[in-house]
Amino acid sequence: MRALRTLRTTLVATGATAVLAASAGGAFAATAPEAAPAAHAPAHCKDKRVLVKTVRLADKVSVAKVYKTGKHRFEAEIWAKGKKYGTLDTQGKGKHAHGRHNGLHVTLHPDGTVTSWVERAKPKPKPQPVAQRILVSVATLADDVSTGKVYKIGANHYEADIYAHGIKLDTLVAKGRAAYGENNGLHVALKPDGRLTSWVDDAPRPEPKKDTSDAKPTPLPQPDNGNDSTEKNDQAGTSAPVIPATPDAQVTTEAAQAQ
């Protein structure tokens, strides 16, 4: 018991804040601005302890057993479920001691009064429901090699796993808006309603235009005048018949021209 009393005496302090923690000896750690000297321990330990009262604390489980140890001196033992968790001590008039354990705060005042309160527990975050993926379709993509597996997650929320040669390449997530992906010229689009479309960049590149600035213009075809010259030659070669200059011939010629 000497070791226990000595330890308790070293924790006596003005305005001390103790952390009530279960241990083999029932002692607790404390931070004391004005720790009592160890040399005063024998005098303090000779004081007679008289049980004054037992107080039910705010957690409805713990109790404080208050003892008077001298003039303006009190001690409070903190118990819970038959186990002692620690002791609070006051020294002199106007001094108090404070302790806490698992959110329970206990204050021993200089007149032996005990007050306590419990910290308000922080609300635990609600566990988020695990999204369940429901397979709705499997589609062959535009490259005829890749496939897309479309899963429904929720309203306007779909996911598409993209595979090529049995290897998963990526996952598109369309939640309220479309999602796009590209791999080696294969383009894939997943719409918020679950539609999966794809296309391939397979259009050939246009050939470069030839430079025709040095090319000579092609001559225009010339009209064929050979027939006209032949006809003219034929007309020139065919002369009118010579009519003898006789009176009868002249009359005949004039009559023929009149007809």
Side-chain angles (χ1 to χ4, degrees):
M1 294 298 293
R2 174 178 293 182
L4 177 59
R5 290 181 180 178
T6 303
L7 179 61
R8 185 177 66 243
T9 304
T10 59
L11 295 177
V12 175
T14 301
T17 300
V19 179
L20 306 180
S23 63
F28 56 88
T31 56
E34 299 178 4
H40 295 175
H44 178 66
C45 294
K46 292 179 180 179
D47 294 335
K48 186 177 181 180
R49 298 174 76 235
V50 178
L51 180 62
V52 178
K53 57 187 173 181
T54 300
V55 180
R56 176 75 63 180
L57 302 181
D59 63 354
K60 309 299 183 182
V61 175
S62 306
V63 295
K65 296 181 179 181
V66 182
Y67 296 86
K68 186 172 182 179
T69 59
K71 187 177 181 180
H72 303 300
R73 293 173 181 265
F74 290 89
E75 292 181 359
E77 295 179 351
I78 310 302
W79 293 75
K81 297 181 179 180
K83 179 181 287 188
K84 180 181 176 181
Y85 281 88
T87 302
L88 299 178
D89 284 306
T90 63
Q91 263 198 68
K93 191 174 182 180
K95 311 297 182 180
H96 69 275
H98 177 78
R100 60 184 174 86
H101 175 69
N102 289 341
L104 172 65
H105 292 256
V106 184
T107 300
L108 176 62
H109 298 274
D111 60 355
T113 304
V114 175
T115 56
S116 62
W117 68 95
V118 179
E119 294 177 0
R120 181 177 297 178
K122 296 181 179 180
K124 294 182 179 180
K126 295 181 179 180
Q128 296 295 331
V130 179
Q132 186 176 4
R133 306 174 86 210
I134 302 175
L135 181 64
V136 294
S137 64
V138 178
T140 302
L141 303 182
D143 62 354
D144 296 327
V145 175
S146 305
T147 57
K149 296 182 178 181
V150 181
Y151 298 85
K152 183 175 182 180
I153 310 301
N156 295 324
H157 187 185
Y158 287 82
E159 294 181 357
D161 292 338
I162 309 302
Y163 293 85
H165 304 288
I167 300 175
K168 183 178 178 180
L169 302 179
D170 199 0
T171 298
L172 299 180
V173 179
K175 187 175 182 180
R177 60 181 179 178
Y180 299 90
E182 188 273 339
N183 181 60
N184 291 335
L186 172 64
H187 297 261
V188 185
L190 177 63
K191 302 300 178 62
D193 58 0
R195 289 180 298 159
L196 188 68
T197 58
S198 61
W199 65 94
V200 179
D201 291 336
D202 58 353
R205 295 182 178 179
E207 297 182 358
K209 295 182 179 180
K210 295 182 180 180
D211 188 5
T212 58
S213 59
D214 297 334
K216 296 181 179 180
T218 303
L220 297 174
Q222 298 296 327
D224 188 4
N225 296 328
N227 294 334
D228 296 342
S229 60
T230 304
E231 290 178 358
K232 289 180 180 180
N233 292 333
D234 292 343
Q235 292 178 359
T238 304
S239 59
V242 178
I243 300 174
T246 61
D248 294 339
Q250 185 176 4
V251 173
T252 302
T253 302
E254 292 178 356
Q257 291 177 352
Q259 292 179 357

